[in-house]
Amino acid sequence: MDKMDKTQFDLQRAYCRMLGHEVPFSYCRKVRDGLPCFRVLDCWFQKFPVQAFISNNYSVKEQEIIFEQPQNKVTTLIDLIERAKSNMAKQR
């Protein structure tokens, strides 16, 4: 399959179950530090060949990161607090 342009589906819109409203694919494509949301396949499979898009535009390592389940919110908050404390200690 030919290389797909990374931005070719950016204007298409779909309902985001996490946010509760429609968003453009451009949002979903870079929501996780420049990588797609872990739910990208579930939300976009009816709109365009999203699996082929992911395979064509992201390395195997990036795909592993994309599809790993995110931490729960409490764990994420604790991690952010610890990082902030570490950054504050480094600045002193």
Side-chain angles (χ1 to χ4, degrees):
M1 174 175 265
D2 293 331
K3 184 89 168 156
M4 293 180 169
D5 176 13
K6 207 173 224 183
T7 62
Q8 77 184 73
F9 301 110
D10 277 1
L11 298 178
Q12 291 195 38
R13 299 182 69 80
Y15 182 80
C16 176
R17 292 177 287 167
M18 291 194 313
L19 298 176
H21 57 81
E22 276 196 354
V23 295
F25 183 66
S26 60
Y27 173 81
C28 300
R29 182 174 58 78
K30 51 190 170 187
V31 71
R32 293 178 72 191
D33 295 325
L35 293 175
C37 173
F38 74 99
R39 291 186 174 174
V40 70
L41 298 180
D42 293 334
C43 298
W44 292 95
F45 75 95
Q46 293 178 323
K47 302 277 186 175
F48 63 89
V50 67
Q51 179 65 57
F53 174 85
I54 295 295
S55 295
N56 276 269
N57 286 289
Y58 299 95
S59 69
V60 172
K61 181 63 178 162
E62 288 172 320
Q63 290 179 54
E64 289 172 6
I65 295 167
I66 292 166
F67 298 119
E68 72 184 12
Q69 292 293 314
Q71 297 176 339
N72 68 45
K73 290 182 182 183
V74 172
T75 304
T76 300
L77 286 173
I78 291 170
D79 186 44
L80 288 171
I81 291 168
E82 292 302 319
R83 279 196 250 163
K85 284 181 184 178
S86 176
N87 287 339
M88 292 291 288
K90 289 177 185 176
Q91 291 177 357
R92 292 181 188 187

